[in-house]
């Protein structure tokens, strides 16, 4: 996300990164031509928008670390698909605004995924001010942005999992069955590729009912 914004936005200026390890922050900073900070407080002080780009189970831990800093008029954001902005509990007392942003996009490679990110759709929920600012930023880059109720984040994330990882799991199961028929892994991928790619194209174009084939 940082690389995408640094390369494409004239509004969003990436100040830098703080991480559990200096090496991780250095890599991200080099990749985005920004700064690796030695403390989270120093980074927060420099930023108008603070993005918590960590695994889901670390977001609350980071919030607990930064919530006592001076956050007045700052926007605090995370990118989790399953957690809402409510995880920033007590943020109203700080004078900051909260938001969760989730791109419906597969980040399969952190070094190259940003190249195709412009086609991603995004969902946002949080405080009215934060959503207005971030919606304007991403819509200005050509993205379609949808609003989402915080109570629906879990169902929303489940839908994303079914459409992504669950499909990968089904494809793997199909490969396993073909391996029992004597097909090598590469052969099974080639054999199944037209089925899955044509089906996905048909679903997107015509809807699920019309995409059904065979005895179904």
């Amino acid at each position: 996300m940082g690389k995408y914004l640094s390369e494409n936005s004239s509004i969003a200026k990436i100040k830098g990164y703080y991480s559990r390890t200096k090496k991780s922050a250095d890599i991200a900073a080099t990749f985005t031509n920004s700064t690796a900070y030695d403390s989270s407080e120093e980074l927060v002080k420099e930023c108008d928008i603070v993005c918590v780009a960590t695994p889901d189970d670390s977001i609350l831990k980071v919030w607990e670390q930064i919530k006592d800093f001076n956050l007045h008029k700052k926007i605090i954001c995370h990118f989790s698909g399953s957690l809402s902005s409510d995880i920033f509990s007590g943020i109203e007392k700080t004078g900051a605004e909260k938001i969760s942003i989730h791109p419906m996009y597969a980040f399969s490679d952190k070094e190259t995924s940003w190249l195709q990110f412009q086609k991603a759709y995004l969902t946002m929920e949080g405080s009215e001010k934060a959503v207005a600012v971030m919606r304007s930023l991403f819509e200005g880059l050509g993205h379609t942005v949808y609003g989402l109720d915080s109570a629906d984040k879990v169902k929303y994330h489940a839908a994303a999992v079914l459409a992504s990882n669950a499909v990968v799991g089904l494809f793997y199961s199909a490969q396993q069955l073909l391996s029992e028929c004597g097909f090598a892994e590469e052969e099974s991928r080639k054999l199944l590729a037209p089925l899955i790619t044509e089906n996905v194209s048909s679903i997107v174009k015509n809807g699920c009912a019309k995409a059904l084939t065979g005895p179904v």
Side-chain angles (χ1 to χ4, degrees):
M1 183 68 80
K3 181 66 171 178
Y4 172 73
L5 290 175
S6 66
E7 293 289 338
N8 293 280
S9 177
S10 60
I11 300 173
K13 304 295 184 182
I14 305 300
K15 294 294 293 185
Y17 299 82
Y18 171 75
S19 185
R20 288 175 299 175
T21 66
K22 187 65 164 59
K23 180 181 178 181
S24 178
D26 284 339
I27 291 173
T30 299
F31 190 47
T32 57
N33 192 29
S34 59
T35 302
Y37 286 83
D38 293 322
S39 74
S40 56
E41 186 171 12
E42 184 183 4
L43 172 61
V44 169
K45 182 180 178 181
E46 292 288 323
C47 296
D48 299 312
I49 301 171
V50 179
C51 297
V52 183
T54 66
D56 287 8
D57 60 2
S58 295
I59 294 175
L60 181 58
K61 297 175 185 176
V62 173
W63 172 239
E64 292 292 333
Q65 292 172 8
I66 70 172
K67 68 179 183 179
D68 292 327
F69 299 159
N70 182 5
L71 303 179
H72 187 61
K73 292 187 177 181
K74 296 182 185 291
I75 291 175
I76 312 299
C77 164
H78 72 68
F79 299 113
S80 169
S82 61
L83 299 174
S84 76
S85 61
D86 290 340
I87 198 167
F88 300 131
S89 59
I91 195 171
E92 296 77 14
K93 299 177 183 178
T94 70
E97 304 291 339
K98 63 181 181 179
I99 186 172
S100 72
I101 301 173
H102 185 255
M104 194 67 91
Y105 184 77
F107 288 95
S108 55
D109 186 315
K110 66 181 179 181
E111 294 184 357
T112 61
S113 291
W114 68 274
L115 292 168
Q116 301 298 321
F117 186 73
Q118 194 162 22
K119 63 185 179 182
Y121 291 78
L122 295 96
T123 57
M124 298 182 181
E125 63 80 28
S127 68
E128 186 176 338
K129 289 182 179 179
V131 171
V133 170
M134 302 306 282
R135 178 187 287 273
S136 177
L137 169 62
F138 282 100
E139 287 184 342
L141 292 170
H143 293 273
T144 298
V145 178
Y146 295 103
L148 187 67
D149 192 298
S150 61
D152 290 330
K153 283 296 292 274
V154 172
K155 286 187 287 186
Y156 163 83
H157 188 249
V161 170
L162 287 172
S164 56
N165 288 342
V167 173
V168 176
L170 286 172
F171 192 87
Y172 177 77
S173 296
Q175 281 188 303
Q176 292 299 102
L177 288 173
L178 287 179
S179 71
E180 295 175 14
C181 300
F183 290 93
E185 182 178 346
E186 185 177 354
E187 292 173 332
S188 66
R189 284 204 305 269
K190 290 180 179 179
L191 192 62
L192 293 169
L195 275 179
I196 192 168
T197 55
E198 290 301 318
N199 269 342
V200 168
S201 296
S202 182
I203 289 169
V204 172
K205 183 179 180 181
N206 304 311
C208 292
K210 292 183 179 179
L212 290 171
T213 61
V216 177

